[in-house]
Amino acid sequence: MTFYFTSTPERGAVWRALFAAETPELAFVTKEDAPPPADTRYLAAWAPTAELIAQLPALEVLFSIGAGVDQIDTRVLPHHVALVRMIEPGLTQGMVEYGVMATLMLHREMIDYRLAQRDGRWAPRPLVPAARRRVGVLGLGELGQAVLAGLRPFGFALSGWSRSPRTLPGVACHAGADALPGFLAACDILICLLPLTQETRGILNHATLSQLPRGAAIVNIARGGHLVAQDLVALLDEGHLSGAVLDVAEPEPLPPEHPLLRHPRIVVTPHIASATSAQSGAHAVLDNIRRHRAGQPMLGLVARDRGY
Ligand code: NAP
Ligand code: GLV
Protein backbone atom coordinates (compact mmCIF):
# COMPACT_ATOMS: atom_id res chain seq x y z
CA MET A 1 0.00 0.00 0.00
CA THR A 2 1.46 3.38 -1.05
CA PHE A 3 1.24 7.02 -0.01
CA TYR A 4 2.11 9.15 -3.05
CA PHE A 5 3.49 12.61 -2.34
CA THR A 6 3.60 15.41 -4.93
CA SER A 7 4.56 18.56 -3.02
CA THR A 8 8.06 20.07 -2.81
CA PRO A 9 11.17 17.88 -2.30
CA GLU A 10 12.03 19.81 0.90
CA ARG A 11 8.63 19.09 2.43
CA GLY A 12 8.83 15.53 1.06
CA ALA A 13 12.06 14.87 2.99
CA VAL A 14 10.39 15.87 6.28
CA TRP A 15 7.26 13.83 5.56
CA ARG A 16 9.31 10.79 4.50
CA ALA A 17 11.15 10.70 7.83
CA LEU A 18 7.96 11.08 9.87
CA PHE A 19 6.06 8.49 7.82
CA ALA A 20 8.97 6.02 8.16
CA ALA A 21 8.90 6.47 11.93
CA GLU A 22 5.13 6.34 12.39
CA THR A 23 3.77 4.12 9.64
CA PRO A 24 6.65 2.04 8.19
CA GLU A 25 4.26 -0.47 6.59
CA LEU A 26 3.00 2.26 4.21
CA ALA A 27 5.35 2.82 1.24
CA PHE A 28 6.14 6.54 0.94
CA VAL A 29 6.84 7.46 -2.70
CA THR A 30 7.38 10.97 -4.08
CA LYS A 31 6.95 12.14 -7.65
CA GLU A 32 10.73 12.53 -7.79
CA ASP A 33 11.14 8.83 -6.85
CA ALA A 34 8.85 7.19 -9.38
CA PRO A 35 5.52 7.36 -11.21
CA PRO A 36 2.62 6.48 -8.90
CA PRO A 37 2.53 2.78 -7.99
CA ALA A 38 -0.71 0.96 -8.84
CA ASP A 39 -1.40 0.30 -5.14
CA THR A 40 -1.49 4.02 -4.23
CA ARG A 41 -4.26 4.44 -1.64
CA TYR A 42 -3.37 7.93 -0.44
CA LEU A 43 -2.31 10.99 -2.44
CA ALA A 44 -1.02 14.31 -1.08
CA ALA A 45 -1.22 17.12 -3.63
CA TRP A 46 -1.98 20.81 -4.12
CA ALA A 47 -3.69 20.55 -7.54
CA PRO A 48 -3.44 17.05 -9.03
CA THR A 49 -3.87 16.76 -12.78
CA ALA A 50 -6.49 14.58 -14.44
CA GLU A 51 -3.60 12.50 -15.86
CA LEU A 52 -2.27 11.78 -12.38
CA ILE A 53 -5.69 10.84 -10.98
CA ALA A 54 -6.25 8.52 -13.94
CA GLN A 55 -3.09 6.61 -12.96
CA LEU A 56 -4.44 5.86 -9.45
CA PRO A 57 -7.09 3.11 -9.69
CA ALA A 58 -6.79 2.21 -5.99
CA LEU A 59 -6.94 5.79 -4.66
CA GLU A 60 -9.08 6.20 -1.54
CA VAL A 61 -8.11 9.59 -0.10
CA LEU A 62 -6.77 12.81 -1.60
CA PHE A 63 -5.14 15.04 1.02
CA SER A 64 -4.91 18.69 -0.01
CA ILE A 65 -1.55 20.19 0.92
CA GLY A 66 -3.41 23.43 1.73
CA ALA A 67 -6.47 24.53 3.69
CA GLY A 68 -8.28 25.42 0.47
CA VAL A 69 -9.50 22.85 -2.04
CA ASP A 70 -10.82 25.18 -4.77
CA GLN A 71 -7.61 24.54 -6.77
CA ILE A 72 -8.57 20.86 -7.07
CA ASP A 73 -10.68 19.92 -10.07
CA THR A 74 -13.07 17.53 -8.36
CA ARG A 75 -14.70 16.64 -11.70
CA VAL A 76 -11.71 14.36 -12.37
CA LEU A 77 -11.87 12.77 -8.92
CA PRO A 78 -14.01 9.61 -8.71
CA HIS A 79 -16.91 10.00 -6.27
CA HIS A 80 -15.74 7.32 -3.88
CA VAL A 81 -12.43 9.16 -3.28
CA ALA A 82 -12.51 11.22 -0.06
CA LEU A 83 -11.13 14.76 -0.29
CA VAL A 84 -9.54 16.14 2.89
CA ARG A 85 -8.36 19.72 3.44
CA MET A 86 -5.41 20.64 5.63
CA ILE A 87 -6.06 21.55 9.25
CA GLU A 88 -2.85 21.91 11.21
CA PRO A 89 -1.55 24.31 13.86
CA GLY A 90 1.31 25.82 11.82
CA LEU A 91 -1.06 26.95 9.06
CA THR A 92 -3.48 28.35 11.61
CA GLN A 93 -0.75 30.24 13.49
CA GLY A 94 0.49 31.89 10.28
CA MET A 95 -3.02 33.05 9.48
CA VAL A 96 -3.54 34.44 12.97
CA GLU A 97 -0.29 36.42 12.69
CA TYR A 98 -1.21 37.84 9.31
CA GLY A 99 -4.84 38.58 10.21
CA VAL A 100 -3.81 40.41 13.38
CA MET A 101 -1.00 42.25 11.58
CA ALA A 102 -3.30 43.44 8.76
CA THR A 103 -6.06 44.46 11.16
CA LEU A 104 -3.68 46.46 13.36
CA MET A 105 -2.18 48.08 10.28
CA LEU A 106 -5.61 49.26 9.14
CA HIS A 107 -6.82 50.10 12.65
CA ARG A 108 -3.75 52.31 13.21
CA GLU A 109 -4.22 53.85 9.73
CA MET A 110 -0.79 52.90 8.40
CA ILE A 111 -1.87 53.35 4.79
CA ASP A 112 -2.56 57.05 5.46
CA TYR A 113 0.71 57.46 7.34
CA ARG A 114 2.68 55.82 4.51
CA LEU A 115 1.06 58.18 2.01
CA ALA A 116 1.80 61.18 4.25
CA GLN A 117 5.42 60.12 4.57
CA ARG A 118 5.70 59.62 0.81
CA ASP A 119 4.51 63.23 0.38
CA GLY A 120 6.75 64.60 3.15
CA ARG A 121 3.74 65.48 5.36
CA TRP A 122 3.70 65.24 9.20
CA ALA A 123 -0.01 64.52 9.62
CA PRO A 124 -1.22 63.07 12.94
CA ARG A 125 -4.72 61.62 13.00
CA PRO A 126 -7.04 61.13 16.00
CA LEU A 127 -6.45 57.83 17.81
CA VAL A 128 -9.47 55.53 17.59
CA PRO A 129 -9.76 53.13 20.56
CA ALA A 130 -9.93 49.45 19.56
CA ALA A 131 -13.31 49.13 21.29
CA ARG A 132 -14.72 51.59 18.74
CA ARG A 133 -13.29 49.69 15.77
CA ARG A 134 -15.67 47.05 14.45
CA VAL A 135 -13.87 44.09 12.89
CA GLY A 136 -15.90 41.47 11.04
CA VAL A 137 -14.78 38.14 9.63
CA LEU A 138 -16.46 36.44 6.66
CA GLY A 139 -16.11 32.71 7.34
CA LEU A 140 -16.15 31.25 10.84
CA GLY A 141 -14.29 28.03 10.15
CA GLU A 142 -10.91 26.87 11.36
CA LEU A 143 -9.05 30.01 10.31
CA GLY A 144 -11.80 32.62 10.78
CA GLN A 145 -12.33 31.51 14.37
CA ALA A 146 -8.59 31.48 15.08
CA VAL A 147 -8.12 35.00 13.70
CA LEU A 148 -11.03 36.25 15.81
CA ALA A 149 -9.48 34.64 18.90
CA GLY A 150 -6.18 36.37 18.05
CA LEU A 151 -7.95 39.75 17.78
CA ARG A 152 -9.90 39.42 21.03
CA PRO A 153 -7.17 40.57 23.44
CA PHE A 154 -7.00 43.97 21.68
CA GLY A 155 -10.61 44.74 22.59
CA PHE A 156 -12.03 45.22 19.07
CA ALA A 157 -15.79 44.97 18.60
CA LEU A 158 -15.86 41.59 16.83
CA SER A 159 -18.43 40.01 14.55
CA GLY A 160 -18.54 37.16 12.07
CA TRP A 161 -20.61 35.64 9.30
CA SER A 162 -21.02 32.02 8.26
CA ARG A 163 -23.45 29.81 6.42
CA SER A 164 -24.79 28.00 9.48
CA PRO A 165 -25.37 29.64 12.89
CA ARG A 166 -22.36 29.74 15.22
CA THR A 167 -21.82 30.81 18.81
CA LEU A 168 -18.38 32.20 19.64
CA PRO A 169 -17.31 33.95 22.83
CA GLY A 170 -17.17 37.74 22.41
CA VAL A 171 -18.23 37.63 18.76
CA ALA A 172 -21.57 38.82 17.34
CA CYS A 173 -22.33 35.93 14.98
CA HIS A 174 -24.50 36.25 11.86
CA ALA A 175 -25.53 33.46 9.50
CA GLY A 176 -26.89 33.17 6.00
CA ALA A 177 -27.42 35.45 3.02
CA ASP A 178 -30.23 37.44 4.66
CA ALA A 179 -27.93 38.45 7.52
CA LEU A 180 -25.12 39.66 5.26
CA PRO A 181 -26.23 43.30 4.76
CA GLY A 182 -26.66 43.90 8.51
CA PHE A 183 -23.29 42.30 9.21
CA LEU A 184 -21.51 44.37 6.54
CA ALA A 185 -23.10 47.63 7.69
CA ALA A 186 -21.35 47.19 11.05
CA CYS A 187 -17.78 46.38 9.87
CA ASP A 188 -15.06 49.06 9.84
CA ILE A 189 -12.55 46.37 8.91
CA LEU A 190 -13.78 43.34 6.96
CA ILE A 191 -11.62 40.21 6.75
CA CYS A 192 -12.43 37.51 4.17
CA LEU A 193 -11.69 33.95 5.26
CA LEU A 194 -14.28 32.11 3.21
CA PRO A 195 -13.53 29.10 1.02
CA LEU A 196 -13.84 29.84 -2.70
CA THR A 197 -16.98 28.10 -3.94
CA GLN A 198 -19.67 28.75 -6.54
CA GLU A 199 -21.57 30.67 -3.84
CA THR A 200 -18.69 32.81 -2.61
CA ARG A 201 -16.89 33.68 -5.88
CA GLY A 202 -17.06 37.45 -6.35
CA ILE A 203 -18.65 38.03 -2.94
CA LEU A 204 -16.46 41.12 -2.41
CA ASN A 205 -18.12 43.20 -5.13
CA HIS A 206 -19.52 46.71 -5.59
CA ALA A 207 -22.90 45.83 -4.10
CA THR A 208 -21.54 44.18 -0.96
CA LEU A 209 -18.55 46.47 -0.38
CA SER A 210 -20.86 49.51 -0.73
CA GLN A 211 -22.74 48.23 2.30
CA LEU A 212 -19.66 48.71 4.49
CA PRO A 213 -19.63 52.03 6.35
CA ARG A 214 -17.86 54.93 4.61
CA GLY A 215 -14.13 54.78 5.40
CA ALA A 216 -14.09 51.00 5.96
CA ALA A 217 -11.17 48.83 4.85
CA ILE A 218 -10.87 45.20 3.77
CA VAL A 219 -8.44 42.32 4.17
CA ASN A 220 -8.59 39.40 1.74
CA ILE A 221 -6.60 36.41 2.93
CA ALA A 222 -8.80 33.76 1.37
CA ARG A 223 -8.71 33.57 -2.44
CA GLY A 224 -8.36 36.16 -5.20
CA GLY A 225 -11.60 34.94 -6.76
CA HIS A 226 -13.60 36.35 -3.85
CA LEU A 227 -12.81 39.89 -4.95
CA VAL A 228 -14.00 41.84 -7.98
CA ALA A 229 -10.84 43.91 -8.38
CA GLN A 230 -12.29 46.78 -10.39
CA ASP A 231 -15.10 47.24 -7.84
CA LEU A 232 -12.58 47.60 -5.02
CA VAL A 233 -10.53 50.11 -7.02
CA ALA A 234 -13.68 52.14 -7.85
CA LEU A 235 -14.77 52.27 -4.19
CA LEU A 236 -11.27 53.31 -3.07
CA ASP A 237 -11.14 56.02 -5.74
CA GLU A 238 -14.59 57.30 -4.71
CA GLY A 239 -13.41 57.45 -1.10
CA HIS A 240 -16.07 55.01 0.11
CA LEU A 241 -13.33 52.60 1.22
CA SER A 242 -10.06 53.73 2.80
CA GLY A 243 -7.76 50.79 2.14
CA ALA A 244 -7.21 47.13 1.45
CA VAL A 245 -4.70 44.47 2.38
CA LEU A 246 -4.70 41.68 -0.17
CA ASP A 247 -2.67 38.50 0.16
CA VAL A 248 -4.39 36.77 -2.73
CA ALA A 249 -5.32 37.81 -6.26
CA GLU A 250 -6.58 36.58 -9.58
CA PRO A 251 -4.37 35.83 -11.43
CA GLU A 252 -1.39 34.90 -9.29
CA PRO A 253 1.15 36.29 -9.82
CA LEU A 254 -0.42 39.65 -10.71
CA PRO A 255 1.15 41.23 -13.80
CA PRO A 256 3.44 44.17 -12.84
CA GLU A 257 1.08 46.90 -14.10
CA HIS A 258 -2.09 45.46 -12.54
CA PRO A 259 -4.19 48.16 -10.79
CA LEU A 260 -4.23 46.18 -7.52
CA LEU A 261 -0.40 46.26 -7.41
CA ARG A 262 -0.23 49.93 -8.30
CA HIS A 263 -3.00 51.44 -6.15
CA PRO A 264 -1.66 53.66 -3.33
CA ARG A 265 -4.32 52.47 -0.90
CA ILE A 266 -3.79 48.76 -1.47
CA VAL A 267 -1.11 46.69 0.22
CA VAL A 268 -0.41 43.46 -1.68
CA THR A 269 1.55 40.44 -0.51
CA PRO A 270 2.23 37.40 -2.75
CA HIS A 271 0.02 34.71 -1.14
CA ILE A 272 2.23 34.33 1.93
CA ALA A 273 -0.33 34.89 4.70
CA SER A 274 0.20 31.33 5.79
CA ALA A 275 1.57 28.01 4.61
CA THR A 276 1.33 24.40 5.69
CA SER A 277 4.14 23.52 8.08
CA ALA A 278 6.06 20.46 6.88
CA GLN A 279 6.23 18.92 10.33
CA SER A 280 2.75 19.54 11.72
CA GLY A 281 1.16 19.07 8.28
CA ALA A 282 2.63 15.55 8.13
CA HIS A 283 1.35 14.81 11.63
CA ALA A 284 -2.15 15.97 10.64
CA VAL A 285 -2.16 13.63 7.62
CA LEU A 286 -0.75 10.71 9.63
CA ASP A 287 -3.51 11.21 12.17
CA ASN A 288 -6.12 11.17 9.40
CA ILE A 289 -4.63 8.01 7.89
CA ARG A 290 -4.96 6.33 11.29
CA ARG A 291 -8.56 7.53 11.46
CA HIS A 292 -9.30 6.31 7.94
CA ARG A 293 -7.89 2.86 8.66
CA ALA A 294 -9.86 2.67 11.90
CA GLY A 295 -13.08 3.66 10.11
CA GLN A 296 -13.28 6.92 12.09
CA PRO A 297 -14.19 10.31 10.56
CA MET A 298 -11.18 12.21 9.18
CA LEU A 299 -10.65 15.82 10.27
CA GLY A 300 -11.21 18.30 7.43
CA LEU A 301 -13.24 15.96 5.23
CA VAL A 302 -14.67 18.09 2.42
CA ALA A 303 -18.35 17.93 1.55
CA ARG A 304 -17.82 17.78 -2.19
CA ASP A 305 -21.32 19.00 -3.06
CA ARG A 306 -20.73 22.17 -0.96
CA GLY A 307 -17.19 22.73 -2.24
CA TYR A 308 -15.55 23.06 1.20
P1 NAP B 1 -13.36 26.21 6.80
O1 NAP B 1 -12.92 25.72 8.14
O2 NAP B 1 -13.95 25.27 5.84
O3 NAP B 1 -14.39 27.40 7.10
C1 NAP B 1 -15.15 27.98 6.10
C2 NAP B 1 -16.14 28.97 6.72
O4 NAP B 1 -16.78 29.69 5.66
C3 NAP B 1 -17.24 28.28 7.53
O5 NAP B 1 -17.57 29.07 8.65
C4 NAP B 1 -18.41 28.27 6.55
O6 NAP B 1 -19.69 28.30 7.13
C5 NAP B 1 -18.18 29.58 5.82
N1 NAP B 1 -18.87 29.57 4.51
C6 NAP B 1 -18.64 28.76 3.45
N2 NAP B 1 -19.50 29.04 2.46
C7 NAP B 1 -20.30 30.03 2.92
C8 NAP B 1 -21.40 30.73 2.37
N3 NAP B 1 -21.84 30.48 1.14
N4 NAP B 1 -21.98 31.67 3.12
C9 NAP B 1 -21.55 31.94 4.37
N5 NAP B 1 -20.51 31.30 4.96
C10 NAP B 1 -19.89 30.36 4.23
O7 NAP B 1 -12.14 26.93 6.06
P2 NAP B 1 -10.77 27.45 6.69
O8 NAP B 1 -9.87 26.30 7.00
O9 NAP B 1 -11.09 28.42 7.76
O10 NAP B 1 -10.11 28.18 5.42
C11 NAP B 1 -10.74 29.27 4.79
C12 NAP B 1 -10.01 29.62 3.50
O11 NAP B 1 -8.78 30.31 3.77
C13 NAP B 1 -9.52 28.44 2.67
O12 NAP B 1 -10.56 27.86 1.92
C14 NAP B 1 -8.46 29.09 1.77
O13 NAP B 1 -9.08 29.55 0.59
C15 NAP B 1 -7.99 30.28 2.58
N6 NAP B 1 -6.57 30.19 2.95
C16 NAP B 1 -5.70 31.13 2.50
C17 NAP B 1 -4.36 31.07 2.85
C18 NAP B 1 -3.38 32.13 2.43
O14 NAP B 1 -2.19 31.98 2.63
N7 NAP B 1 -3.82 33.24 1.89
C19 NAP B 1 -3.88 30.04 3.66
C20 NAP B 1 -4.81 29.09 4.10
C21 NAP B 1 -6.14 29.16 3.73
P3 NAP B 1 -20.20 27.10 8.09
O15 NAP B 1 -19.49 27.36 9.40
O16 NAP B 1 -21.63 27.30 8.20
O17 NAP B 1 -19.78 25.82 7.43
C1 GLV C 1 -3.18 28.30 1.03
O1 GLV C 1 -3.60 29.17 0.36
C2 GLV C 1 -3.99 27.23 1.55
O2 GLV C 1 -5.13 27.05 1.10
O3 GLV C 1 -3.50 26.50 2.43
Side-chain angles (χ1 to χ4, degrees):
M1 194 190 298
T2 296
F3 183 97
Y4 196 64
F5 182 87
T6 66
S7 182
T8 61
E10 296 74 27
R11 192 177 269 144
V14 176
W15 284 44
R16 188 191 296 281
L18 289 169
F19 272 62
E22 297 208 16
T23 177
E25 70 289 356
L26 189 63
F28 185 92
V29 179
T30 72
K31 67 179 191 306
E32 287 78 25
D33 297 331
D39 70 344
T40 297
R41 295 282 172 82
Y42 302 107
L43 170 67
W46 170 253
T49 59
E51 293 69 33
L52 174 59
I53 299 293
Q55 291 173 63
L56 305 172
L59 185 65
E60 291 180 14
V61 186
L62 167 56
F63 292 106
S64 170
I65 293 290
V69 293
D70 53 285
Q71 69 283 359
I72 293 171
D73 182 358
T74 49
R75 291 169 305 180
V76 302
L77 200 61
H79 264 286
H80 67 270
V81 176
L83 173 60
V84 178
R85 68 200 170 84
M86 183 61 76
I87 301 178
E88 63 90 6
L91 186 61
T92 304
Q93 172 65 21
M95 198 52 98
V96 171
E97 288 174 7
Y98 192 104
V100 170
M101 178 275 297
T103 304
L104 290 178
M105 195 178 141
L106 295 170
H107 167 55
R108 297 306 304 265
E109 305 181 65
M110 279 299 151
I111 291 180
D112 285 289
Y113 289 121
R114 287 297 296 166
L115 292 174
Q117 183 180 351
R118 183 196 66 183
D119 300 342
R121 287 182 290 115
W122 188 269
R125 302 166 64 85
L127 185 66
V128 178
R132 292 218 338 255
R133 195 75 80 183
R134 298 165 297 176
V135 182
V137 177
L138 289 167
L140 296 177
E142 203 60 34
L143 301 177
Q145 289 190 34
V147 168
L148 281 161
L151 290 170
R152 249 183 109 186
F154 295 95
F156 293 112
L158 300 174
S159 62
W161 182 73
S162 55
R163 180 209 288 269
S164 50
R166 299 262 170 179
T167 307
L168 300 174
V171 180
C173 293
H174 306 256
D178 292 348
L180 186 59
F183 163 75
L184 292 172
C187 290
D188 300 312
I189 298 173
L190 177 72
I191 303 174
C192 181
L193 266 170
L194 290 165
L196 184 61
T197 65
Q198 280 182 357
E199 287 182 18
T200 65
R201 174 168 286 281
I203 192 167
L204 302 174
N205 58 46
H206 200 280
T208 52
L209 296 178
S210 300
Q211 292 169 44
L212 294 169
R214 192 167 181 82
I218 69 162
V219 179
N220 188 11
I221 35 186
R223 286 289 185 263
H226 288 120
L227 176 70
V228 181
Q230 67 269 28
D231 291 357
L232 170 65
V233 169
L235 288 164
L236 287 168
D237 290 345
E238 284 163 24
H240 183 73
L241 296 181
S242 62
V245 178
L246 308 177
D247 180 57
V248 285
E250 236 179 40
E252 291 182 5
L254 283 172
E257 295 309 321
H258 195 283
L260 292 182
L261 271 181
R262 296 294 170 176
H263 199 285
R265 290 194 167 273
I266 301 178
V267 174
V268 174
T269 53
H271 203 143
I272 48 71
S274 192
T276 298
S277 142
Q279 193 96 7
S280 45
H283 281 298
V285 169
L286 280 164
D287 179 49
N288 267 332
I289 290 174
R290 275 189 287 272
R291 286 167 175 272
H292 182 250
R293 285 167 155 184
Q296 295 166 355
M298 290 182 285
L299 304 181
L301 184 67
V302 170
R304 288 178 55 179
D305 54 336
R306 267 186 346 189
Y308 72 98

PDB file of all heavy atoms in Angstrom, residues 166-178:
ATOM      1  N   ARG A 166     -23.487  30.055  14.333  1.00  0.00           N
ATOM      2  CA  ARG A 166     -22.359  29.737  15.218  1.00  0.00           C
ATOM      3  C   ARG A 166     -22.486  30.548  16.499  1.00  0.00           C
ATOM      4  O   ARG A 166     -23.085  31.630  16.490  1.00  0.00           O
ATOM      5  CB  ARG A 166     -21.035  30.142  14.564  1.00  0.00           C
ATOM      6  CG  ARG A 166     -20.748  29.430  13.276  1.00  0.00           C
ATOM      7  CD  ARG A 166     -19.831  28.273  13.513  1.00  0.00           C
ATOM      8  NE  ARG A 166     -19.717  27.433  12.322  1.00  0.00           N
ATOM      9  CZ  ARG A 166     -18.942  26.365  12.276  1.00  0.00           C
ATOM     10  NH1 ARG A 166     -18.240  26.009  13.317  1.00  0.00           N
ATOM     11  NH2 ARG A 166     -18.880  25.627  11.180  1.00  0.00           N
ATOM     12  N   THR A 167     -21.904  30.046  17.573  1.00  0.00           N
ATOM     13  CA  THR A 167     -21.824  30.813  18.810  1.00  0.00           C
ATOM     14  C   THR A 167     -20.362  30.855  19.217  1.00  0.00           C
ATOM     15  O   THR A 167     -19.747  29.805  19.436  1.00  0.00           O
ATOM     16  CB  THR A 167     -22.640  30.122  19.932  1.00  0.00           C
ATOM     17  OG1 THR A 167     -23.963  29.897  19.431  1.00  0.00           O
ATOM     18  CG2 THR A 167     -22.720  30.987  21.180  1.00  0.00           C
ATOM     19  N   LEU A 168     -19.787  32.058  19.276  1.00  0.00           N
ATOM     20  CA  LEU A 168     -18.377  32.199  19.637  1.00  0.00           C
ATOM     21  C   LEU A 168     -18.268  33.239  20.737  1.00  0.00           C
ATOM     22  O   LEU A 168     -18.928  34.293  20.663  1.00  0.00           O
ATOM     23  CB  LEU A 168     -17.552  32.670  18.422  1.00  0.00           C
ATOM     24  CG  LEU A 168     -17.553  31.770  17.194  1.00  0.00           C
ATOM     25  CD1 LEU A 168     -16.822  32.445  16.038  1.00  0.00           C
ATOM     26  CD2 LEU A 168     -16.872  30.452  17.528  1.00  0.00           C
ATOM     27  N   PRO A 169     -17.411  32.996  21.715  1.00  0.00           N
ATOM     28  CA  PRO A 169     -17.308  33.953  22.827  1.00  0.00           C
ATOM     29  C   PRO A 169     -16.845  35.317  22.342  1.00  0.00           C
ATOM     30  O   PRO A 169     -15.864  35.430  21.611  1.00  0.00           O
ATOM     31  CB  PRO A 169     -16.259  33.306  23.757  1.00  0.00           C
ATOM     32  CG  PRO A 169     -15.589  32.256  22.947  1.00  0.00           C
ATOM     33  CD  PRO A 169     -16.517  31.843  21.861  1.00  0.00           C
ATOM     34  N   GLY A 170     -17.581  36.363  22.731  1.00  0.00           N
ATOM     35  CA  GLY A 170     -17.169  37.737  22.414  1.00  0.00           C
ATOM     36  C   GLY A 170     -17.334  38.127  20.956  1.00  0.00           C
ATOM     37  O   GLY A 170     -16.792  39.145  20.529  1.00  0.00           O
ATOM     38  N   VAL A 171     -18.069  37.326  20.184  1.00  0.00           N
ATOM     39  CA  VAL A 171     -18.233  37.627  18.760  1.00  0.00           C
ATOM     40  C   VAL A 171     -19.727  37.667  18.430  1.00  0.00           C
ATOM     41  O   VAL A 171     -20.457  36.719  18.740  1.00  0.00           O
ATOM     42  CB  VAL A 171     -17.553  36.537  17.877  1.00  0.00           C
ATOM     43  CG1 VAL A 171     -17.729  36.850  16.391  1.00  0.00           C
ATOM     44  CG2 VAL A 171     -16.080  36.388  18.227  1.00  0.00           C
ATOM     45  N   ALA A 172     -20.178  38.754  17.801  1.00  0.00           N
ATOM     46  CA  ALA A 172     -21.566  38.819  17.338  1.00  0.00           C
ATOM     47  C   ALA A 172     -21.659  38.000  16.052  1.00  0.00           C
ATOM     48  O   ALA A 172     -21.079  38.366  15.029  1.00  0.00           O
ATOM     49  CB  ALA A 172     -21.964  40.273  17.084  1.00  0.00           C
ATOM     50  N   CYS A 173     -22.323  36.858  16.123  1.00  0.00           N
ATOM     51  CA  CYS A 173     -22.335  35.929  14.980  1.00  0.00           C
ATOM     52  C   CYS A 173     -23.600  36.107  14.131  1.00  0.00           C
ATOM     53  O   CYS A 173     -24.700  36.214  14.657  1.00  0.00           O
ATOM     54  CB  CYS A 173     -22.251  34.495  15.478  1.00  0.00           C
ATOM     55  SG  CYS A 173     -20.665  34.121  16.239  1.00  0.00           S
ATOM     56  N   HIS A 174     -23.406  36.118  12.812  1.00  0.00           N
ATOM     57  CA  HIS A 174     -24.499  36.247  11.856  1.00  0.00           C
ATOM     58  C   HIS A 174     -24.418  35.050  10.912  1.00  0.00           C
ATOM     59  O   HIS A 174     -23.320  34.579  10.626  1.00  0.00           O
ATOM     60  CB  HIS A 174     -24.355  37.525  11.039  1.00  0.00           C
ATOM     61  CG  HIS A 174     -24.220  38.763  11.881  1.00  0.00           C
ATOM     62  ND1 HIS A 174     -25.248  39.652  12.072  1.00  0.00           N
ATOM     63  CD2 HIS A 174     -23.175  39.248  12.588  1.00  0.00           C
ATOM     64  CE1 HIS A 174     -24.839  40.624  12.867  1.00  0.00           C
ATOM     65  NE2 HIS A 174     -23.584  40.409  13.188  1.00  0.00           N
ATOM     66  N   ALA A 175     -25.562  34.613  10.404  1.00  0.00           N
ATOM     67  CA  ALA A 175     -25.532  33.463   9.502  1.00  0.00           C
ATOM     68  C   ALA A 175     -26.497  33.649   8.339  1.00  0.00           C
ATOM     69  O   ALA A 175     -27.596  34.180   8.511  1.00  0.00           O
ATOM     70  CB  ALA A 175     -25.881  32.190  10.275  1.00  0.00           C
ATOM     71  N   GLY A 176     -26.025  33.225   7.167  1.00  0.00           N
ATOM     72  CA  GLY A 176     -26.889  33.171   6.001  1.00  0.00           C
ATOM     73  C   GLY A 176     -26.949  34.469   5.203  1.00  0.00           C
ATOM     74  O   GLY A 176     -26.593  35.541   5.686  1.00  0.00           O
ATOM     75  N   ALA A 177     -27.407  34.319   3.968  1.00  0.00           N
ATOM     76  CA  ALA A 177     -27.421  35.449   3.022  1.00  0.00           C
ATOM     77  C   ALA A 177     -28.251  36.624   3.537  1.00  0.00           C
ATOM     78  O   ALA A 177     -27.869  37.787   3.357  1.00  0.00           O
ATOM     79  CB  ALA A 177     -27.960  34.968   1.676  1.00  0.00           C
ATOM     80  N   ASP A 178     -29.376  36.336   4.203  1.00  0.00           N
ATOM     81  CA  ASP A 178     -30.235  37.438   4.662  1.00  0.00           C
ATOM     82  C   ASP A 178     -29.544  38.306   5.709  1.00  0.00           C
ATOM     83  O   ASP A 178     -29.871  39.483   5.862  1.00  0.00           O
ATOM     84  CB  ASP A 178     -31.538  36.883   5.271  1.00  0.00           C
ATOM     85  CG  ASP A 178     -32.400  36.231   4.202  1.00  0.00           C
ATOM     86  OD1 ASP A 178     -32.093  36.424   3.000  1.00  0.00           O
ATOM     87  OD2 ASP A 178     -33.348  35.517   4.575  1.00  0.00           O
TER      88      ASP A 178
END
